[in-house]
Amino acid sequence: MKNDIKKLIDAQKSFYNEGFTKDVPTRKNILKRLKSEIKNREKDICDALYADFKKSEFETLLSETQYILGELNDAIKKIHSWTREKTVSASLINFPSSAKIIKEPYGTVLIIAPWNYPFQLAISPLIGAITAGNTAIIKPSELTPNTATIISEIIKAVFPENYVSVVQGDKDISTALLQERWDYIFFTGSPQVGKIVYQAAAKHLTPVSLELGGKNPCIIDETAKLKQAAKRIVWGKFLNGGQTCIAPDYILVASNIKDKLIQHLKNEIIAAYSENPKNSSDYPRIVNKNNFDRLSKLINNEDIAFGGVIDKTDCYISPTLINEPSLESDLMKEEIFGPLLPIISYNSEEEIQSIITSYEKPLSLYVFSNRRQFSNKIMKQFSYGGGVINDTIVHFLNKRLPFGGVGHSGIGAYHGDLTFDVFSHHKSVVRKGTWLDIPLRYAPYSKKMKWIKILEKLR
């Protein structure tokens, strides 16, 4: 398999060097073909995601296919403006000259996609890679085999193999891919695997984007509209069965309103998924047995305020509220990535700070409050990838906002034109005039020292 991978990469590099992918009208046409194929296969994509972990058609349309079609529309519409050379002001010190920025593709890129949003998080970076003029190899997750198959079929229908290819397999295949030299690597997944990807990229000084995760806090003070807050938290937390990197990981709630919040959360869970969420067509399953076992162990010996129903034969864990877990518990040691929601009370802002800063920088942070001064303070006080006041996860939907982490929650950001920028090298070019050559910069310098500080101001 390693030889096959090497041959495929070499074929893509040769294809890239022929210059076919650098032609902007060609890129635009291939994006249109990709859009058409996804629209034609949308029902198949929905069926595949349901087969993989019972993801509902509505959630698939919302967070997978329609999201991607929107990104394709944006790229098709704006590709000419994104790829256009940008003229910038020339510096006086270079007089006479002109200056510009040329956006060029990196070359052959590797995209490693996760299992939680397996279609969206494979195709979204691909759109940027193609729009920027790269060739690409996609490694979809082996944990969602039906979706991986659909991705492979769509790519084969649109692209020649030496332009874009899908390589399927387990972690051994991922390891083999990472042993090769790439021009760019885009990885979405856990911080633990992100470290492995980063180490592999470092061997060749390959640039990377790492879209990871973390323990995302959700702060609720006594001025919040609790019923509305509960509704929005339940939606953001239990969307995709809680298997969302930007989902609220734990709640920090003012102690005097905790009981009221828990009751509202219970009511909203029942309103969304009925008394028995297992029978709801809108509630997904845990992706596989390993993740089910990991999550089910996290609630052992915890005070379950609501839910806690599990069924291993169906990889089912109900939406579960956990009251006041110890910060030293397994539940609170790392990102949960499932339908378990710890609720911890606080009595002071100092407690909020102490808890949040005891973890690595999160991918997202949420605060529910009608005190503008308090919510603004929280947003400025902590470091995180992206945040929302009085809602959850909706920042992801705005293509004009960068999406990415900081520190352990990720490196780099994308969405909209930033996805194009991620896969583009912006190189600078200065054209110097020949009709004048100011002698000041040339040696000997002995009589020119007084000009140094003046020259610095002319840059």
Side-chain angles (χ1 to χ4, degrees):
M1 185 64 190
K2 185 174 181 180
N3 290 335
D4 293 338
I5 290 173
K6 184 69 167 62
K7 288 179 181 178
L8 182 57
I9 295 170
D10 289 343
Q12 288 207 354
K13 288 183 180 294
S14 296
F15 184 74
Y16 173 79
N17 289 333
E18 291 172 7
F20 178 82
T21 68
K22 294 183 180 180
D23 181 67
V24 174
T26 297
R27 299 184 212 175
K28 186 173 183 177
N29 287 335
I30 206 86
L31 290 170
K32 288 180 177 178
R33 288 174 55 192
L34 178 60
K35 174 186 170 183
S36 177
E37 187 66 19
I38 290 173
K39 289 180 71 174
N40 291 337
R41 301 296 301 272
E42 191 167 40
K43 182 63 168 62
D44 296 333
I45 297 165
C46 291
D47 291 344
L49 277 154
Y50 186 83
D52 281 330
F53 58 105
K54 294 189 177 179
K55 184 165 184 170
S56 71
E57 182 176 358
F58 181 88
E59 284 195 8
T60 296
L61 294 174
L62 173 69
S63 63
E64 307 269 3
T65 58
Q66 289 299 307
Y67 179 87
I68 287 299
L69 290 171
E71 286 208 328
L72 279 165
N73 286 335
D74 199 40
I76 291 166
K77 179 181 178 181
K78 298 177 180 177
I79 186 170
H80 288 288
S81 63
W82 290 350
T83 55
R84 190 175 298 127
E85 294 179 2
K86 180 181 179 181
T87 300
V88 299
S89 299
S91 61
L92 287 174
I93 198 171
N94 278 336
F95 182 83
S97 71
S98 61
K100 62 183 177 181
I101 298 170
I102 298 175
K103 304 165 187 177
E104 68 175 8
Y106 278 104
T108 297
V109 305
L110 172 64
I111 298 168
I112 302 178
W115 53 263
N116 60 327
Y117 292 87
F119 186 78
Q120 181 216 127
L121 295 177
I123 305 300
S124 180
L126 176 67
I127 293 169
I130 297 306
T131 306
N134 301 277
T135 64
I137 291 177
I138 304 171
K139 166 60 177 70
S141 174
E142 69 275 15
L143 301 186
T144 46
N146 296 285
T147 307
T149 297
I150 290 295
I151 291 171
S152 181
E153 291 174 359
I154 289 172
I155 295 304
K156 285 180 180 178
V158 175
F159 298 93
E161 187 179 56
N162 53 359
Y163 194 167
V164 178
S165 293
V166 174
V167 175
Q168 298 192 56
D170 58 15
K171 65 180 181 180
D172 291 335
I173 297 301
S174 296
T175 300
L177 286 165
L178 288 170
Q179 288 173 349
E180 301 298 330
R181 182 168 185 170
W182 302 89
D183 296 303
Y184 201 95
I185 298 175
F186 192 103
F187 169 80
T188 307
S190 69
Q192 292 81 4
V193 181
K195 292 177 183 179
I196 296 171
V197 173
Y198 206 13
Q199 288 174 343
K203 293 178 183 178
H204 302 293
L205 296 179
T206 301
V208 299
S209 288
L210 302 178
E211 299 299 330
L212 310 176
K215 288 195 78 65
N216 307 319
C218 181
I219 304 160
I220 305 172
D221 81 352
E222 58 274 8
T223 69
K225 293 183 177 180
L226 289 187
K227 187 178 188 304
Q228 183 185 76
K231 191 178 190 72
R232 293 176 177 183
I233 291 168
V234 165
W235 175 73
K237 175 61 180 180
F238 300 110
L239 179 77
N240 210 46
Q243 300 163 120
T244 303
C245 60
I246 55 174
D249 193 85
Y250 62 99
I251 288 177
L252 293 174
V253 58
S255 59
N256 60 331
I257 60 167
K258 186 186 75 171
D259 292 342
K260 289 182 181 179
L261 174 68
I262 289 176
Q263 187 57 54
H264 281 299
L265 290 169
K266 291 178 183 179
N267 294 342
E268 293 302 332
I269 291 171
I270 293 169
Y273 304 113
S274 80
E275 293 277 359
N276 186 2
K278 188 177 181 182
N279 295 332
S280 170
S281 60
D282 298 321
Y283 188 68
R285 298 300 184 259
I286 306 306
V287 71
N288 65 2
K289 291 291 194 294
N290 287 340
N291 279 278
F292 173 89
D293 290 341
R294 177 185 64 82
L295 290 165
S296 60
K297 289 176 182 177
L298 293 180
I299 58 177
N300 288 341
N301 304 315
E302 296 291 349
D303 180 8
I304 297 175
F306 184 78
V309 180
I310 64 174
D311 181 356
K312 188 169 185 176
T313 62
D314 195 28
C315 282
Y316 169 77
I317 299 178
S318 67
T320 300
L321 307 178
I322 300 166
N323 185 38
E324 299 289 353
S326 167
L327 296 181
E328 303 303 317
S329 65
D330 290 340
L331 184 72
M332 294 302 295
K333 283 182 180 178
E334 58 185 35
E335 182 181 12
I336 294 170
F337 217 74
L340 314 178
L341 183 56
I343 301 170
I344 300 168
S345 59
Y346 72 85
N347 293 297
S348 67
E349 291 184 24
E350 288 74 22
E351 284 185 68
I352 294 174
Q353 181 175 8
S354 176
I355 292 172
I356 292 177
T357 56
S358 69
Y359 298 106
E360 297 287 352
K361 297 174 181 179
L363 182 58
S364 297
L365 183 146
Y366 307 108
V367 57
F368 287 82
S369 173
N370 275 337
R371 290 188 293 154
R372 183 177 292 270
Q373 185 177 9
F374 173 74
S375 57
N376 287 343
K377 179 182 177 181
I378 291 294
M379 286 291 145
K380 293 177 181 179
Q381 182 176 1
F382 300 103
S383 181
Y384 51 89
V388 185
I389 299 170
N390 291 326
D391 209 338
T392 62
I393 79 174
V394 294
H395 58 303
F396 183 89
L397 301 175
N398 189 337
K399 65 187 177 183
R400 288 165 288 276
L401 290 174
F403 178 79
V406 57
H408 275 231
S409 58
I411 297 172
Y414 71 119
H415 281 190
D417 59 340
L418 286 176
T419 312
F420 170 83
D421 289 340
V422 160
F423 290 100
S424 303
H425 168 58
H426 292 204
K427 62 184 181 185
S428 57
V429 176
V430 171
R431 180 181 293 276
K432 193 70 185 290
T434 58
W435 57 272
L436 178 66
D437 198 18
I438 299 174
L440 184 61
R441 62 173 170 154
Y442 300 111
Y445 304 124
S446 58
K447 296 181 181 180
K448 302 173 183 177
M449 292 299 294
K450 63 182 180 179
W451 292 99
I452 289 294
K453 292 184 178 181
I454 296 174
L455 288 172
E456 181 60 27
K457 294 177 181 179
L458 299 178
R459 294 181 63 191

